[in-house]
């Protein structure tokens, strides 16, 4: 049995995406689930529904920190295209069930010193290429869950797209009838070199990050943070479950 507990290649992780409070269900089977695959179009972002204001470009501001693509009815063409994407993805990610294989192939673990329920391994070169194009076999991130005993188990992957991408450009990558892309907005982060401040809380709420209570430039300045109107890129998660189904849920 391989020990998959905390691989580290000695390099600082690429600053592509910070851990999100996402509950990813399921693990990857040893055998391909593609034959039994069913795509789930549920969109779960912790908001309860799709209420929110429409912003220029047509996206929905679900909360001060979260913007998402509006839901669309799924067509047969959407389902077929989504299945083709996940089939291609599955063929690639099988080789990364052991996270050490991901590290050898250029993925770096994000924030290895922080305890996380979902662990991101990011590949900088994939992120750069995904700024200008889409390849279903080229995810920006691999997503791992922590199993009992500390073993990291591959649970899915994440695609990214530029913050300037239109709804139609996002739909051209992964159909909006199947998946809901999301973008983190109005985020206050610690300044460079102050990573220890990520653990700061106020009244039980994180001070910094997408789950933090700060959503304005003035409030971020008051705590000595760095404010970003958008944090990283548009993102979408794809998750494989033990029964062979695929969900596009965050």
């Amino acid at each position: 049995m391989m020990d998959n507990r905390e691989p580290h290649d000695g390099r600082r992780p690429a600053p592509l995406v910070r851990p999100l409070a996402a509950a990813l269900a399921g693990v990857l089977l040893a055998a391909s689930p593609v034959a039994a695959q069913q795509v789930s179009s549920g969109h779960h972002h912790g908001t309860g529904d799709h209420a929110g204001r429409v912003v220029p470009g047509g996206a929905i501001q679900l909360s001060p920190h979260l913007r998402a693509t509006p839901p669309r009815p799924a067509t047969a063409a959407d389902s077929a295209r989504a299945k083709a994407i996940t089939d291609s993805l599955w063929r690639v990610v099988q080789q990364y069930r052991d996270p050490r294989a991901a590290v050898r192939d250029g993925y770096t673990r994000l924030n290895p010193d922080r305890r996380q329920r979902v662990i991101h391994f990011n590949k900088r070169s994939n992120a750069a290429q995904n700024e200008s194009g889409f390849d279903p076999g080229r995810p920006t991130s691999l997503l791992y869950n922590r199993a009992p005993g500390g073993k990291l188990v591959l649970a899915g992957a994440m695609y990214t797209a530029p913050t300037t991408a239109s709804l139609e450009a996002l739909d051209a990558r992964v159909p909006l009838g199947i998946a809901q892309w999301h973008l983190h907005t109005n985020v206050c982060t610690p300044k460079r070199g102050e990573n220890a401040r990520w653990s700061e809380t106020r009244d039980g709420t994180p001070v910094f990050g997408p789950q933090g209570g700060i959503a304005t430039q003035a409030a971020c300045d008051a705590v000595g943070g760095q404010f970003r109107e958008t944090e990283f890129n548009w993102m979408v998660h794809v998750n494989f479950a033990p029964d062979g189904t695929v969900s596009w849920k965050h």
Side-chain angles (χ1 to χ4, degrees), residues 20 45 55 59-69 161-165 170 180-187 210 229-236 250:
L20 312 177
H45 293 264
V55 299
I60 300 173
Q61 194 72 38
L62 296 174
S63 74
H65 292 310
L66 187 65
R67 187 174 301 169
T69 55
T163 58
T164 56
L170 295 174
Q180 189 174 42
W181 290 80
H182 65 277
L183 177 68
H184 293 277
T185 59
N186 304 313
V187 177
E229 291 186 358
T230 59
E231 177 76 335
F232 307 116
N233 289 351
W234 282 102
M235 311 171 186
V236 66
H250 166 225

Side-chain angles (χ1 to χ4, degrees), residues 128-227:
Q129 292 179 77
N130 291 338
E131 285 290 294
S132 57
F134 177 72
D135 180 340
R138 190 181 63 214
T140 294
S141 303
L142 302 172
L143 307 176
Y144 293 82
N145 288 339
R146 189 184 302 279
K151 179 180 178 180
L152 300 186
V153 181
L154 186 63
M158 186 178 77
Y159 296 117
T160 57
T163 58
T164 56
S166 67
L167 295 185
E168 294 312 310
L170 295 174
D171 179 72
R173 294 184 179 219
V174 177
L176 302 189
I178 297 295
Q180 189 174 42
W181 290 80
H182 65 277
L183 177 68
H184 293 277
T185 59
N186 304 313
V187 177
C188 184
T189 67
K191 292 182 178 178
R192 184 180 297 276
E194 298 181 349
N195 286 342
R197 298 195 65 195
W198 277 106
S199 60
E200 292 182 17
T201 61
R202 289 186 178 180
D203 300 323
T205 300
V207 172
F208 299 107
Q211 305 302 318
I214 295 175
T216 66
Q217 178 78 62
C220 189
D221 290 344
V223 298
Q226 182 172 340
F227 185 76

Side-chain angles (χ1 to χ4, degrees), residues 55-120:
V55 299
I60 300 173
Q61 194 72 38
L62 296 174
S63 74
H65 292 310
L66 187 65
R67 187 174 301 169
T69 55
R72 294 182 179 180
T75 66
D78 288 341
S79 297
R81 187 154 60 93
K83 185 179 184 301
I85 291 170
T86 54
D87 284 354
S88 295
L89 177 63
W90 171 256
R91 288 192 291 269
V92 170
V93 301
Q94 289 186 77
Q95 64 186 304
Y96 301 128
R97 285 197 288 267
D98 183 342
R100 292 176 297 184
V103 170
R104 288 193 296 269
D105 199 31
Y107 285 88
T108 56
R109 183 182 165 182
L110 186 69
N111 294 331
D113 56 334
R114 297 178 62 193
R115 186 76 177 181
Q116 305 152 27
R117 183 166 55 178
V118 179
I119 296 94
H120 291 65

